[in-house]
Amino acid sequence: MLMELFAHKDYVRLLYAVKRKPKRFGELQAELGLNPAQVDRAVKFLRKELWIVPQVIPSEKGRLLLEYAIGRRGLAFLDAFKGFSASVSRHKAEFGKAAAAELESLTR
């Protein structure tokens, strides 16, 4: 489960996006620059494993909207990932600047 999350950088980017603020599907697509299939795949995986949780919010027009928020498991992962990224950054000489920059780009 963790290795699959590491294998998909878009999954990690999505976690950071919903950590900053809960977002709807279209907002995630626009912010991350992904197509609907990529967002759908990421959301399905992250929901199934409880990394993110859906929340229903009412709209002014009476419709119910669905947005995604970070779950407890997602927060724990991002906390651990922050430590991992910091360690890679400290070891730039061994990993190379590109590796540190790649991890740093996921947090934006």
Side-chain angles (χ1 to χ4, degrees), residues 5-106:
L5 188 56
F6 273 115
H8 297 277
K9 67 179 181 180
D10 293 335
Y11 294 7
V12 178
R13 291 177 58 220
L14 193 142
L15 282 175
Y16 273 107
V18 298
K19 180 183 179 200
R20 287 188 289 275
K21 177 186 173 217
K23 294 183 176 55
R24 295 189 356 247
F25 188 95
E27 293 171 326
L28 289 168
Q29 184 181 343
E31 182 177 324
L32 301 175
L34 301 174
N35 66 47
Q38 291 170 306
V39 175
D40 184 58
R41 189 175 328 136
V43 165
K44 281 180 182 175
F45 173 81
L46 295 170
R47 280 184 65 185
K48 179 182 173 195
E49 300 293 335
L50 300 176
W51 302 101
I52 62 173
V53 291
Q55 298 176 336
V56 177
I57 54 171
S59 72
E60 293 176 4
K61 296 180 182 179
R63 296 183 356 207
L64 296 177
L65 303 174
L66 186 66
E67 68 180 10
Y68 300 98
I70 190 87
R72 288 182 15 202
R73 180 179 268 182
L75 282 173
F77 172 81
L78 291 180
D79 187 47
F81 188 76
K82 182 179 174 184
F84 175 74
S85 297
S87 183
V88 168
S89 186
R90 284 192 303 274
H91 296 281
K92 277 184 190 174
E94 292 84 5
F95 287 112
K97 291 181 182 178
E102 182 181 10
L103 288 178
E104 191 176 295
S105 74
L106 296 177

